[in-house]
């Protein structure tokens, strides 16, 4: 189903994990710590195969999906999506009955892709609740971070989710947010924990990381940039 107002309007959580997709998660052993939070956010339908569980955990309460992934992974047109529905539902099933957050309203093409995904979920009686964030919220979030020094056309999905989490959670713990290709011990890292695909040029991830460090240093969030005990 799709909700017409925030399902979190009167709900708050003591501890939340926000899981980015950075290569620093590979070999981190952070999975158990991530899953120990009351609520777990994940970004961009990143893979959750069991080979990753030790490092990234396996619980999900809130997952984002980029509308572009609908056409990239499954289908470009409505008719073709019907043929790709089984793969779509199978991929989404690893996140159980989590909330599915899709930015739908900033661009017309995004809206078509997002509504197509929602239609497939509705027709399949999936248990996921779809959240289409209000465009004013998305625009105001982008504007806020631009004013803070993130000089990019728009904030990344990861930064958007961190913003959401700070409004819902007493303690926000971040994992997998690291924009560099080597860790603190100068060990080479892949771009993501699951592949080495290049990031989008529309984001300024290093600017975003500086802001996350500032929030960490002021106690607003806890930014994990090392292996977990």
């Amino acid at each position: 189903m799709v909700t017409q107002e925030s399902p979190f309007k009167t709900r708050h959580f003591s501890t939340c994990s926000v899981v980015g997709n950075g290569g620093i998660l590979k070999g981190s052993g952070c999975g158990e710590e991530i899953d120990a939070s009351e609520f777990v956010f994940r970004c961009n339908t990143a893979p959750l195969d069991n080979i990753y569980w030790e490092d990234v955990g396996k619980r999900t309460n809130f997952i984002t999906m980029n509308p572009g992934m609908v056409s990239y992974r499954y289908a470009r047109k409505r008719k073709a999506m019907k043929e790709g529905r089984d793969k779509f539902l199978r991929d989404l099933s690893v996140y159980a009955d989590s909330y599915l957050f899709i930015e739908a309203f900033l661009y017309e093409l995004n809206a078509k892709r997002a509504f197509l995904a929602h239609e497939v979920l509705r027709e399949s009686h999936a248990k996921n609740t779809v959240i289409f964030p209000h465009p004013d919220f998305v625009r105001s979030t982008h504007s806020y971070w631009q004013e803070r020094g993130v000089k990019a056309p728009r904030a990344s999905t990861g930064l958007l989710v961190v913003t959401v989490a700070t409004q819902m959670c007493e303690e926000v713990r971040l994992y997998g947010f690291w924009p560099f290709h080597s860790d603190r011990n100068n060990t080479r890292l892949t771009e993501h924990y699951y592949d080495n695909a290049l990031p989008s040029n529309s984001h300024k991830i290093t600017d975003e990381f500086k802001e996350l460090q500032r929030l960490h240093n002021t106690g607003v969030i806890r930014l994990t940039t090392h292996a977990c005990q």
Side-chain angles (χ1 to χ4, degrees), residues 13-27:
F13 305 94
S14 297
T15 56
C16 295
S17 292
V18 182
V19 187
N21 299 330
I24 196 169
L25 275 173
K26 188 186 296 185

Side-chain angles (χ1 to χ4, degrees), residues 143-190:
S143 296
Y144 172 81
W145 289 114
Q146 285 176 336
E147 291 170 4
R148 299 297 308 184
V150 180
K151 302 303 182 184
R154 58 199 305 269
S156 69
T157 300
L159 191 57
L160 185 63
V161 173
V162 171
T163 306
V164 172
T166 59
Q167 305 305 304
M168 292 171 49
C169 312
E170 295 273 340
E171 180 181 339
V172 179
R173 307 166 178 171
L174 269 58
Y175 304 84
F177 287 82
W178 182 259
F180 312 111
H181 289 122
S182 59
D183 64 15
R184 296 183 184 278
N185 296 319
N186 209 32
T187 301
R188 187 71 178 170
L189 301 173
T190 54

Side-chain angles (χ1 to χ4, degrees), residues 5-77:
E5 65 175 23
S6 172
F8 309 109
K9 191 173 183 179
T10 59
R11 296 178 64 196
H12 289 84
F13 305 94
S14 297
T15 56
C16 295
S17 292
V18 182
V19 187
N21 299 330
I24 196 169
L25 275 173
K26 188 186 296 185
S28 68
C30 288
E32 185 175 348
E33 187 174 303
I34 288 169
D35 284 349
S37 286
E38 186 179 359
F39 199 87
V40 180
F41 297 82
R42 299 186 188 274
C43 300
N44 293 337
T45 53
L48 270 188
D49 302 340
N50 58 8
I51 60 173
Y52 304 122
W53 287 353
E54 184 177 349
D55 296 329
V56 305
K58 55 185 176 180
R59 283 187 52 233
T60 307
N61 300 104
F62 183 110
I63 183 72
T64 72
M65 171 176 277
N66 187 321
M69 300 308 292
V70 175
S71 59
Y72 176 73
R73 288 183 180 173
Y74 308 107
R76 294 185 179 277
K77 297 181 180 179

